[in-house]
Amino acid sequence: MHEIYPLPQAVAVPKVYKPEFSFNRILTGDARDVMPQLPSNCVDLSFWSPPYFVGKSYEKDWSFDEWQSLIKEVISLHSRVLKPGGFMAVNIGDILCFPDDSMPRFQADNVRRKKSPVTREQIIKLKQQYPNARRVELAKMLGCSEQTVQRRLEHNNVRGGKQIASTRVKLTGCLVEEWALHAGLYLYDQRIWHKDPCWANCRWHSNSYRAVDEFEHIYVFWQPGITEYDRQRLSGSEWSEWGSRGVWQIRSVQRNDRHEAEFPEELARRVIRLFSPAKGVVLDPFVGSGTTTAVARQLGRRWLGIELDDRYAEEARMRTNVT
């Protein structure tokens, strides 16, 4: 069974002031290496969407512990760079297909989609007549496959499912909240991003009671300090339509040509307008193709993006129009 990655002991991070540092840049590198180079207390809002540990190309070789270590460390680095009263907003989905060797194999009797007419009752009756018959012999007498016999008796497959670990849903919110609290950041708010149902990517919609994937979480954490509160950031209709609403209806990116995990600009626009002041600094430590930084510039904020992959970093620079 996978265990929660142990939290590190709290370490005092020295304040570093770097007057020569300039904003409005996309920095290339691992966020864990780049963030310690940023000035202290320089970020009003950090808005980011980390890898979800769902098998994307850039994370497919990671272990669960490696994934946890990455997100935990990046969160911990925010305690120094966030301004007092600033926010860290994390857009993340739950891990919907989390492999767990200790979980019992899921058993199901698909009453509507059986390819063979052989019933469980027929097999049990035949086993009573031939108690020493092997499964392959029962299958031959019934004119079906050995897999059908095993499916009917055990509600499981001879191939595939018998060997592969069962999957379960892993909630990420409790992990992120724990890591943030350890870093001195407090959960201030949460929103649900209701997006398009991911029918094409869902593993269950054809033969399961499980729901399709159609929402993600936005967890907003507060750095203790005085927070600027300005009701004029949004119009009255915007406050009623989405500013004060817990569920945001926003369409997904229809074509992920720039990045396989791109989120819509409208999502970034709402978070930035709501949780950052005019001309404030917006950080995205997993900037990808530059959605956060592009929107931050459109809204008159200063920005910083960090991206490990050189190709995406260049895409983000072009998109944000950084020279």
Side-chain angles (χ1 to χ4, degrees):
M1 181 176 181
H2 296 276
E3 297 181 353
I4 295 178
Y5 196 87
L7 293 171
Q9 297 299 314
V11 177
V13 180
K15 301 290 185 179
V16 179
Y17 178 63
K18 299 184 178 182
E20 75 282 1
F21 189 86
S22 61
F23 297 99
N24 299 347
R25 293 191 294 161
I26 307 296
L27 306 172
T28 305
D30 190 313
R32 293 169 291 186
D33 298 326
V34 176
M35 287 184 67
Q37 303 176 37
L38 305 184
S40 300
N41 308 134
C42 67
V43 174
D44 294 277
L45 168 67
S46 178
F47 174 51
W48 45 284
S49 187
Y52 289 7
F53 194 64
V54 292
K56 296 291 186 181
S57 62
Y58 49 80
E59 61 180 14
K60 61 182 177 64
D61 296 325
W62 296 354
S63 69
F64 184 53
D65 285 348
E66 289 172 329
W67 175 82
Q68 289 189 104
S69 180
L70 169 65
I71 309 306
K72 168 180 56 61
E73 188 171 348
V74 170
I75 288 175
S76 70
L77 291 170
H78 279 78
S79 62
R80 186 185 65 82
V81 300
L82 279 178
K83 292 181 180 179
F87 294 105
M88 177 184 72
V90 182
N91 166 224
I92 193 169
D94 293 318
I95 304 174
L96 299 180
C97 287
F98 185 82
D100 186 350
D101 292 322
S102 68
M103 181 178 173
R105 298 293 186 265
F106 186 80
Q107 295 179 311
D109 182 13
N110 191 344
V111 299
R112 302 295 179 189
R113 302 184 65 179
K114 289 183 172 66
K115 295 181 179 180
S116 171
V118 173
T119 66
R120 189 170 189 270
E121 290 71 22
Q122 288 177 299
I123 299 174
I124 292 175
K125 184 176 180 179
L126 195 60
K127 279 179 64 67
Q128 292 172 345
Q129 296 177 10
Y130 302 95
N132 297 322
R134 293 177 299 161
R135 196 160 51 204
V136 65
E137 295 170 332
L138 294 173
K140 186 174 182 180
M141 286 186 276
L142 290 166
C144 65
S145 68
E146 180 184 353
Q147 186 179 24
T148 295
V149 173
Q150 198 261 355
R151 275 177 171 171
R152 299 296 188 269
L153 292 176
E154 302 176 23
H155 305 291
N156 202 349
N157 288 333
V158 173
R159 307 182 187 91
K162 186 178 180 181
Q163 306 300 328
I164 300 173
S166 291
T167 57
R168 61 186 174 93
V169 173
K170 182 71 175 177
L171 301 180
T172 55
C174 55
L175 297 175
V176 174
E177 195 271 341
E178 184 177 8
W179 298 331
L181 187 61
H182 187 83
L185 307 177
Y186 295 85
L187 185 60
Y188 172 84
D189 193 18
Q190 62 174 318
R191 306 293 171 103
I192 298 296
W193 167 28
H194 184 200
K195 58 184 182 178
D196 306 80
C198 297
W199 293 101
N201 297 327
C202 184
R203 306 185 185 192
W204 303 316
H205 74 272
S206 62
N207 185 27
S208 172
Y209 293 131
R210 282 168 162 166
V212 296
D213 176 21
E214 58 180 335
F215 70 90
E216 295 183 11
H217 308 276
I218 303 170
Y219 297 109
V220 183
F221 297 91
W222 172 70
Q223 171 91 303
I226 298 175
T227 300
E228 176 186 293
Y229 179 70
D230 183 3
R231 192 71 180 178
Q232 297 302 312
R233 287 184 183 176
L234 307 181
S235 66
S237 60
E238 287 172 329
W239 279 112
S240 61
E241 290 170 6
W242 59 268
S244 300
R245 303 294 295 274
V247 178
W248 288 351
Q249 305 275 353
I250 303 174
R251 292 203 68 186
S252 305
V253 175
Q254 300 304 296
R255 294 181 61 184
N256 291 339
D257 295 335
R258 287 182 287 238
H259 194 284
E260 60 184 305
E262 183 177 340
F263 54 79
E265 289 192 0
E266 179 61 21
L267 185 66
R269 185 170 292 107
R270 292 187 183 186
V271 172
I272 293 172
R273 290 188 62 197
L274 193 58
F275 295 108
S276 71
K279 299 182 181 180
V281 174
V282 177
L283 167 69
D284 186 341
F286 296 94
V287 77
S289 60
T291 302
T292 298
T293 51
V295 174
R297 179 175 183 174
Q298 294 167 16
L299 296 175
R301 271 64 167 177
R302 290 173 291 167
W303 72 89
L304 283 172
I306 303 173
E307 174 54 43
L308 179 63
D309 191 304
D310 290 330
R311 298 167 301 168
Y312 290 137
E314 185 58 32
E315 174 70 36
R317 292 187 186 99
M318 295 175 61
R319 184 177 179 186
T320 315
N321 197 24
V322 177
T323 56

